């Protein structure tokens, strides 16, 4: 089990991590989400033992993770950390980079492992190239494969897909997480991409300004977001007075509704003046105004500017959000 107890850390006088606590069972996947600068990368580095903490402890099973003051070579054997900026060996091939930490004592096993990883990151056909001949995204995939090569007990991934084309990310993500599950690797992934948090994690931490403001199952974080900050990490979101959609519910409360949760509904009292339609692939994101406030909703078709549209969220969803607020 990974056990983080009340850790705080700062650069000089500037606090970056403030009293963070959480635990993670072996074999589980944790996603850490939060706006840029909220402390995700610093947390991962602390977990890897790159910092001397001002306060608190980090344990991995019965071992305490110590900072550089106690550990001549920072980083632990059983942990692999993939930095946001990956460093590859420029003069050896992709194949050799991936196998860099693998023993030469079992050449056949080593070759098989490398082939398996090359397939996972979809680089088999580039195996003999040097990193310099690859794109940024391809280099990041090599770094990912190398981090997984030794099947660490604990794998720390910092924005592992940030340089990779989005059309490639989904398959890669599925391959990667199924490998991690199959091998029972415990994994912490920092990401600004909500898909990583929602589809693959057992648990999600929401970070804001160096603090963990939410620790929950990803589906609950999404469907019961509690704060505008948390909801906005998953896409365009609206804070709406329930009475503007359902006066009959007799409440003064507001709820958060994602753009995809508002639907055109002629019978709704909530009228929006459309300002712009943005093509998003499978649908249009519509930006409009209601009493001077910007609202977003999705529509299958673009809507002309200045047209008035009545929208609302389904009543069941509204009731569920209201209950979650109590
Ligand atoms: P995130 O990964 O969520 O974007 P970071 O952990 O990289 O956030 O950064 C959190 C805060 O710590 C930021 O305010 C950043 O400027 C600061 N910070 C990060 N690294 C350093 C450093 N080496 N020296 C001083 N401040 C740093
Ligand atoms: Mg970061």
């Amino acid at each position: 089990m990974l056990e983080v107890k009340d850790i705080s850390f700062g650069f000089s006088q500037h606090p970056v991590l403030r009293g963070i606590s959480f635990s993670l069972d072996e074999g589980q996947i944790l996603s850490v989400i939060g706006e840029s600068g909220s402390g995700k990368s610093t947390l991962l580095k602390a977990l890897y033992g790159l910092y001397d903490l001002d306060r608190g402890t980090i344990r991995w099973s019965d071992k305490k993770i110590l900072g550089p003051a106690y550990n001549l070579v920072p980083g632990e054997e059983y942990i692999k950390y993939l930095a946001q900026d990956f460093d590859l060996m420029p003069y050896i091939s992709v194949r050799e980079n991936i196998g860099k930490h693998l023993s030469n004592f079992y050449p056949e096993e080593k070759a098989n492992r490398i082939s398996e990883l090359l397939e996972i990151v979809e680089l088999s056909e580039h195996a003999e190239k040097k990193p310099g001949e690859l794109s940024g995204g391809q280099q990041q995939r090599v770094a990912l494969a190398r981090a997984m090569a030794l099947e660490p007990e604990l794998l720390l991934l910092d924005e592992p897909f940030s340089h990779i084309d989005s059309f490639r990310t989904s398959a890669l993500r599925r391959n990667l997480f199924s490998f991690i599950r199959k091998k029972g690797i415990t994994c912490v992934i920092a990401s600004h991409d909500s898909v990583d948090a929602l589809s693959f994690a057992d648990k999600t931490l929401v970070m804001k300004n160096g603090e963990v403001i939410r620790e929950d199952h990803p589906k609950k974080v999404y469907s019961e977001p509690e704060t505008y900050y948390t909801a906005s990490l998953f896409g365009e979101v609206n804070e709406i007075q329930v009475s503007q959609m359902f006066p009959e519910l007799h409440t003064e409360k507001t709820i958060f509704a994602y753009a995809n949760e508002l639907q055109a509904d002629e019978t709704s009292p909530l009228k929006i003046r459309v300002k712009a339609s943005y093509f998003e692939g499978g649908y249009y994101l519509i930006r409009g105004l209601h009493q001077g406030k910007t609202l977003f909703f999705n529509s299958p078709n673009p809507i002309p500017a200045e047209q008035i549209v009545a929208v609302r969220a389904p009543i069941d969803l509204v009731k569920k959000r209201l209950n979650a607020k109590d």
Side-chain angles (χ1 to χ4, degrees), residues 114-315:
I114 295 174
S115 299
E116 181 187 16
L117 290 164
L118 279 166
E119 264 171 48
I120 287 177
V121 298
E122 300 179 321
L123 282 177
S124 305
E125 66 212 72
H126 302 291
E128 312 311 330
K129 289 187 181 164
K130 305 266 160 54
E133 301 170 67
L134 303 178
S135 70
Q138 290 171 328
Q139 292 183 22
Q140 189 168 32
R141 285 187 269 146
V142 177
L144 253 178
R146 190 186 52 187
M148 292 188 293
L150 271 182
E151 294 179 17
E153 295 174 27
L154 179 60
L155 179 62
L156 309 170
L157 302 174
D158 196 353
E159 308 274 1
F161 310 115
S162 57
H163 295 262
I164 296 167
D165 309 331
S166 56
F167 77 88
R168 214 175 253 289
T169 311
S170 5
L172 177 65
R173 208 191 253 125
R174 283 195 297 273
N175 293 347
L176 174 74
F177 286 110
S178 91
F179 178 86
I180 288 173
R181 292 261 185 230
K182 193 171 78 189
K183 306 289 183 185
I185 297 171
T186 310
C187 177
V188 180
I189 169 171
S191 179
H192 65 276
D193 187 334
S194 55
V195 181
D196 298 331
L198 292 175
S199 349
F200 298 100
D202 300 294
K203 195 196 271 195
T204 294
L205 297 186
V206 181
M207 288 193 69
K208 185 183 181 188
N209 197 14
E211 284 180 280
V212 170
I213 61 163
R214 184 79 184 269
E215 174 183 357
D216 215 330
H217 190 275
K219 282 193 193 120
K220 285 199 93 169
V221 178
Y222 176 84
S223 61
E224 297 164 24
E226 288 177 359
T227 62
Y228 182 83
Y229 173 86
T230 298
S232 66
L233 297 172
F234 299 105
E236 296 298 348
V237 67
N238 309 290
E239 183 165 19
I240 305 175
Q241 292 255 285
V242 171
S243 61
Q244 291 177 332
M245 298 183 286
F246 299 101
E248 64 272 27
L249 289 179
H250 301 292
T251 173
E252 295 291 300
K253 288 187 181 157
T254 62
I255 58 151
F256 298 114
Y258 298 101
N260 63 299
E261 293 172 334
L262 290 185
Q263 288 141 16
D265 176 349
E266 282 171 23
T267 64
S268 172
L270 178 59
K271 309 266 193 274
I272 297 179
R273 182 181 293 276
V274 171
K275 287 294 167 191
S277 303
Y278 306 99
F279 183 55
E280 301 267 316
Y283 60 92
Y284 287 80
L285 177 70
I286 313 293
R287 176 170 59 81
L289 282 177
H290 171 76
Q291 294 178 354
K293 201 177 150 199
T294 299
L295 288 179
F296 291 97
F297 65 98
N298 291 357
S299 158
N301 308 305
I303 303 175
E306 301 308 317
Q307 188 164 317
I308 307 286
V309 186
V311 301
R312 70 174 145 201
I315 182 116

Side-chain angles (χ1 to χ4, degrees), residues 11-12 14-17 34-43 45 51 84 158-159 190 207 210:
F11 299 100
S12 53
H14 177 65
V16 174
L17 304 178
E35 65 186 1
S36 178
S38 56
K40 304 181 296 294
S41 295
T42 308
L43 175 62
K45 288 178 190 164
Y51 297 134
Q84 210 165 345
D158 196 353
E159 308 274 1
M207 288 193 69

